[in-house]
Amino acid sequence: MNPEDAAKDHGPVSIIADSGEWSPELQKARAYEQILLDIILGELPPGARLDEQTLTRRYSTGLAGIRDALGRLALEGMVVRRSRAGTTVSPLDLVDLREGYEARALIEPHCAAMAAKNATAEEIAQIASTFDDAERADREQDRRALIAMDQRFHALIARASRNAALARILIPLQHKAARFWVYSMGTTTEEERLADICLHRAVAQRIAARDAEGARAGMILVLGTMPQTVKRSLTGRGEEDAPSASPEASGAPAG
């Protein structure tokens, strides 16, 4: 697949907060998040070669922003950079998936509990509003919007925990898990997806109530639904087929 032709319309969805002000760092952050979302969605599929000049045209940004984004994504394991071979999108790896979920199950409920104790009023409002448009996005099968909401929700909670070390570990794990979540979306029902949105909102409510144990328990429920849907999506395929598969091959609705 040609990365320049894979997805023309990125829409207004953003993981980062939009201050309305332009800055070089904000432009770099937006380039990073759009490449990240396209990798998660499979619009930049596993194994795709990422040419820097092509990416500057695709995302209407400068070369410095693209190189910064690819460097960050390489550190997260979302892309692979090799001398002479260039940069490619990392394969889907079920070992990574299992290990990532095990790590998240240990870390993320604790981060939610810490966020209930430490989040500022502004952070609580941002967390609470993340899924405001989720029903519309699900109804219109807008996977880009749903993924952006989910990534922003989990990143906000990780940062609101006030433990930078845990946040640095957790956020890349969330990005990797999201690739498999997209892969499984074609096997979930509308009822299941709406129930998952409600589980996320319940965590936000517990954080707003400063209920640390309630936030911890709520996050455990959120994490518990994701491995089940991924496992079901792989039924009949065999694990050996999954690493090279893209979300487009799963029958997931097109974004």
Side-chain angles (χ1 to χ4, degrees), residues 38-246:
D38 282 348
I39 291 173
I40 289 173
L41 288 162
E43 292 172 359
L44 295 173
R49 186 175 181 276
L50 303 179
D51 175 73
E52 292 178 353
Q53 294 294 340
T54 300
L55 294 177
T56 63
R57 294 190 296 272
R58 175 184 171 92
Y59 298 106
S60 301
T61 193
L63 194 58
I66 294 299
R67 287 176 175 167
D68 179 80
L70 293 179
R72 290 177 63 182
L73 292 165
L75 290 174
E76 294 181 11
M78 300 294 284
V79 303
V80 179
R81 308 189 86 174
R82 296 189 178 95
S83 59
R84 294 187 296 276
T87 303
T88 57
V89 177
S90 297
L92 291 169
D93 187 329
L94 284 176
V95 174
D96 260 0
L97 174 67
R98 283 192 292 264
E99 293 178 350
Y101 272 123
E102 288 170 1
R104 288 183 71 190
L106 292 172
I107 298 171
E108 198 157 9
H110 179 67
C111 281
M114 294 294 291
K117 296 177 181 179
N118 298 325
T120 65
E122 181 180 0
E123 287 170 330
I124 288 172
Q126 289 175 341
I127 292 167
S129 65
T130 302
F131 281 91
D132 278 356
D133 201 31
E135 284 82 3
R136 189 278 313 163
D138 183 70
R139 185 171 57 253
E140 297 178 6
Q141 299 185 351
D142 187 348
R143 295 187 301 160
R144 176 172 289 271
L146 288 170
I147 289 294
M149 291 175 198
D150 184 71
Q151 294 296 288
R152 187 161 190 249
F153 177 85
H154 288 280
L156 283 168
I157 290 175
R159 295 187 180 110
S161 73
R162 293 295 177 276
N163 189 314
L166 290 180
R168 282 194 298 269
I169 295 169
L170 186 56
I171 291 172
L173 294 176
Q174 294 161 351
H175 295 166
K176 288 184 177 182
R179 298 179 75 191
F180 286 88
W181 184 38
V182 171
Y183 184 76
S184 72
M185 285 176 77
T187 70
T188 58
T189 66
E190 180 184 10
E191 182 179 4
E192 288 172 327
R193 293 189 299 274
L194 294 178
D196 186 58
I197 291 167
C198 288
L199 288 177
H200 283 74
R201 286 176 174 156
V203 173
Q205 290 167 0
R206 291 300 89 210
I207 290 173
R210 302 294 185 184
D211 178 1
E213 291 310 308
R216 185 194 307 274
M219 186 61 76
I220 290 171
L221 290 176
V222 167
L223 294 176
T225 63
M226 295 176 70
Q228 294 171 17
T229 58
V230 172
K231 182 177 180 181
R232 188 171 63 215
S233 76
L234 298 176
T235 300
R237 294 178 180 270
E239 290 192 358
E240 67 278 3
D241 297 328
S244 60
S246 72

